[in-house]
Amino acid sequence: MSAVEELRSGALTAEENVARYLEAIEARDREINAFIEVNLRAIEDAQAVDKKIERGTAGKLAGLAIAVKSNINVRGLRATCASKTLENYVSPYDATVIERIRREDGVIIGMTNMDEFACGSSGETSYFGPTQNPAAMGRIPGGSSSGSAAAIAANFADVALGSDTGGSIRNPASHCGVVGIKPTYGLVPRYGLIDLAMSLDQIGPLAKDVYSAALLLEVIAGYNPKEATTLRVESVDYTSKLNADLSGYTIGFAREFEEYTSPEIIREVKHALAKLEAQGASVVEVELPNLAKALPTYYLTVFVEFFSATRRYDGRRYGYRIEEVCGEEVLRRIMLGRYISQKEYSGKYYKKALQFRSLIKKELLEALSGVDLIAGPTTPKLPHRLGEEIDPLAMYAYDLLTVPANLAGIPAGVIKSGEVKGIPVGLQLQAKPLDEQKILNAMYALEGG
Ligand code: GLN
């Protein structure tokens, strides 16, 4: 039985559920380093939920333990962004997604480790030290939502929140063998998320199974009148519509995926495609000739937007001036972002990036117009060993297959499709804007099949 079922049947109380995770964290998180801070009030919060369960007034997430990435504001806990810059920043308010989680009686179990300011693909740039991959010890868990994915893989929480600017939910979901979803841009409110690049960032769920990912997503999704960039989607109900029958689904696979991905990963992806066919889907070829242009386009955009986002950390409000205390990857991005912004009067880089962004979006939407989903790999290579030195460009290359979805604003989900040498490999499913249900259904089919 899953925790959701146990809690709903009354076989488990919220307090028992939270207590068992706290014990697991206590016993093993020294080794994994998934959490930066544990919520000391989690037991009290769970007891309050139990009272509501007794009264029959508890919400959809009643008693589920939820881990939160440290770039999301949770009142009373630290949103450090895993940086010395915000080492002592205690959130004075709840992000909109947290308000919605509390309204449905989820219990926040703690704040997770991450790449500093979400800049990274490995979980190694945190000021609080790297996170282990519980599914492949000794390897990176992926990033930047490293702690959230690791918390799920290590069984420290029921579900987790991550953020995805260029792959930060999907990449660690793939390496850690868990479910992860980057929603359509604007589906989930960003209010209370500390920006990496605001035109790309989305908050989304990480979970052990498709049902609980769908459940968390339907709780956090929907229009927020306080935010200009949220879409006018009032309420969604993914869980009751989960359906593993894929008859009528057409799924595209791009030849270009094979060009950039190691053959052992492609082999696992093709196994997953065969399973989707067995559930009724038909697989066809699609073309993404400009796939590789997405990576430089993405990084140029991120450097500029991140540079601008960091100007508020000037030492007056938050204690430290970011340039004085941050790690080398964050500093590199600030310097490059400053340089590109200064050169912008000539329209040399950023304007070009915007043009390429439209091209990539157009190409992806065109490819999607003839199919329900595009299925392919998540990362081009397997996760490297923790501590192995890799240069920045090799680190950026992890994002080649995930950044197009952010540039186009479309939803994308990842689910484990197999293993290579004992290391999980995730299948990535991309869909048209607001077609999260199709992604969830295909993942549901894979989970059962
Ligand atoms: N790895 C990408 C980067 O470093 C993605 C980060 C993210 O999605 N937050 O920018």
Side-chain angles (χ1 to χ4, degrees):
M1 236 197 282
S2 73
V4 180
E5 286 162 338
E6 283 183 283
L7 283 159
R8 285 185 184 167
S9 70
L12 185 74
T13 65
E15 182 177 355
E16 286 164 351
N17 188 40
V18 168
R20 70 177 179 178
Y21 286 126
L22 290 174
E23 275 164 34
I25 294 168
E26 172 76 32
R28 252 193 101 204
D29 199 38
R30 230 184 301 264
E31 186 187 10
I32 305 293
N33 204 19
F35 285 91
I36 292 178
E37 182 176 13
V38 166
N39 180 11
L40 297 175
R41 301 186 44 144
I43 288 287
E44 253 173 82
D45 293 348
Q47 287 166 342
V49 172
D50 278 326
K51 291 216 176 78
K52 287 178 83 174
I53 294 177
E54 274 167 37
R55 275 186 261 126
T57 58
K60 278 185 180 182
L61 299 176
L64 289 181
I66 299 166
V68 179
K69 188 173 181 179
S70 291
N71 58 354
I72 298 173
N73 281 281
V74 177
R75 197 183 341 107
L77 297 179
R78 285 185 304 154
T80 58
C81 287
S83 180
K84 186 172 169 63
T85 317
L86 296 177
E87 191 182 8
N88 302 313
Y89 171 64
V90 178
S91 302
Y93 70 104
D94 279 336
T96 306
V97 291
I98 302 298
E99 278 174 9
R100 291 179 180 181
I101 284 172
R102 292 200 203 274
R103 207 182 303 145
E104 295 296 338
D105 298 305
V107 177
I108 309 297
I109 193 143
M111 305 301 291
T112 57
N113 207 353
M114 56 185 280
D115 279 296
E116 185 177 15
F117 280 103
C119 296
S121 310
S122 73
E124 294 169 301
T125 69
S126 167
Y127 172 63
F128 299 92
T131 300
Q132 271 282 352
N133 183 339
M137 293 296 283
R139 303 250 167 197
I140 56 151
S144 64
S145 309
S146 43
S148 290
I152 298 301
N155 209 16
F156 291 158
D158 292 303
V159 282
L161 287 179
S163 68
D164 191 308
T165 309
S168 282
I169 290 176
R170 290 163 287 157
N171 157 320
S174 177
H175 293 331
C176 293
V178 303
V179 174
I181 298 162
K182 175 218 118 47
T184 303
Y185 186 78
L187 178 64
V188 175
R190 282 184 302 111
Y191 180 75
L193 168 71
I194 299 172
D195 305 329
L196 167 55
M198 56 184 277
S199 76
L200 301 162
D201 299 335
Q202 270 292 281
I203 296 174
L206 290 123
K208 291 173 214 174
D209 53 44
V210 178
Y211 182 89
S212 43
L215 183 66
L216 182 57
L217 184 60
E218 71 190 24
V219 167
I220 61 175
Y223 180 60
N224 176 17
K226 282 193 282 198
E227 251 179 89
T229 55
T230 48
L231 300 170
R232 291 219 168 236
V233 173
E234 289 307 336
S235 81
V236 280
D237 180 5
Y238 303 119
T239 47
S240 71
K241 296 190 194 128
L242 279 177
N243 183 354
D245 177 7
L246 303 182
S247 335
Y249 276 57
T250 308
I251 298 181
F253 178 81
R255 205 175 333 122
E256 289 81 6
F257 291 152
E258 292 187 77
E259 223 173 286
Y260 300 104
T261 311
S262 76
E264 47 197 13
I265 293 180
I266 291 291
R267 210 175 311 130
E268 292 310 315
V269 166
K270 294 221 162 145
H271 281 155
L273 286 174
K275 282 191 201 162
L276 293 171
E277 280 184 301
Q279 301 292 324
S282 48
V283 174
V284 299
E285 210 170 87
V286 293
E287 280 180 21
L288 295 172
N290 289 299
L291 182 64
K293 295 199 178 71
L295 198 61
T297 305
Y298 167 81
Y299 273 96
L300 272 171
T301 310
V302 166
F303 294 158
V304 171
E305 291 189 22
F306 181 57
F307 168 65
S308 134
T310 56
R311 293 311 81 204
R312 78 189 77 151
Y313 311 118
D314 57 4
R316 281 180 293 190
R317 249 182 100 186
Y318 297 100
Y320 296 108
R321 198 166 90 84
I322 189 167
E323 288 87 342
E324 280 165 13
V325 293
C326 69
E328 76 182 60
E329 179 58 30
V330 166
L331 192 58
R332 176 179 306 117
R333 293 184 188 209
I334 292 175
M335 312 260 280
L336 287 167
R338 175 181 289 128
Y339 176 80
I340 297 163
S341 305
Q342 281 165 357
K343 293 278 168 198
E344 200 39 38
Y345 59 84
S346 59
K348 208 166 157 192
Y349 303 107
Y350 190 62
K351 203 168 146 217
K352 286 246 159 52
L354 289 176
Q355 286 163 348
F356 273 112
R357 184 170 177 174
S358 319
L359 172 76
I360 288 153
K361 181 171 181 177
K362 197 166 151 261
E363 175 174 298
L364 203 44
L365 290 177
E366 261 169 30
L368 277 164
S369 70
V371 298
D372 296 288
L373 296 162
I374 293 178
T378 310
T379 59
K381 54 186 178 181
L382 293 172
H384 60 265
R385 288 186 192 286
L386 267 171
E388 192 181 305
E389 291 270 339
I390 72 166
D391 67 47
L393 289 180
M395 188 67 88
Y396 297 166
Y398 272 112
D399 306 323
L400 192 128
L401 301 161
T402 46
V403 296
N406 302 79
L407 292 169
I410 61 169
V414 166
I415 186 164
K416 183 172 170 181
S417 61
E419 288 181 1
V420 173
K421 299 178 209 132
I423 303 165
V425 166
L427 177 79
Q428 179 178 212
L429 292 148
Q430 305 181 70
K432 297 180 194 79
L434 297 179
D435 260 354
E436 274 78 1
Q437 188 74 50
K438 286 185 182 165
I439 294 176
L440 289 164
N441 286 354
M443 296 204 290
Y444 198 52
L446 280 177
E447 194 173 58

